[in-house]
Amino acid sequence: MQIPQLESQRLILRGCSEEDLDAYTEMCSDPEVMRYIGEGKPLSRWESWRNMAMILGHWQLRGYGKLLRM
C-alpha cells in the first residue's frame, strides 16, 4: 500500500522513509517536542525507529480508507 502524498505551494505531506530516521530521532529526543506526546518522555534512537515502524505498519494494515472509518 502506498501512503498518499499531499502537496500545496508551501508544503509536502508524505509518509516516512528510512532516510528520515536521523531527523525523526532528533525531533523525538527533544523533551519539549515530546512533552505532550505518548508518555511525555524523549525517545532514544531505537525507540524512535520502533515508533516510525509502528506508524508505517498502521498504514500497511489499516490504510487511509479504513483510518477514516475508525
Side-chain angles (χ1 to χ4, degrees):
M1 162 162 293
Q2 192 80 335
I3 298 174
Q5 181 169 303
L6 304 173
E7 294 186 39
S8 73
Q9 290 182 353
R10 300 183 328 164
L11 180 67
I12 297 174
L13 295 175
R14 61 172 178 76
C16 299
S17 69
E18 192 170 352
E19 291 79 31
D20 298 322
L21 180 59
D22 288 338
Y24 189 70
T25 298
E26 185 177 344
M27 180 184 76
C28 290
S29 67
D30 185 326
E32 282 302 306
V33 170
M34 299 305 290
R35 187 173 177 185
Y36 301 106
I37 300 174
E39 296 178 12
K41 295 184 273 186
L43 302 180
S44 67
R45 182 174 178 82
W46 183 85
E47 291 167 325
S48 297
W49 171 255
R50 186 177 64 166
N51 190 270
M52 183 186 287
M54 179 191 67
I55 292 167
L56 291 170
H58 275 266
W59 272 101
Q60 288 297 318
L61 292 172
R62 304 284 308 174
Y64 179 73
K66 291 181 182 177
L67 182 68
L68 292 177
R69 292 190 294 269
M70 290 181 78

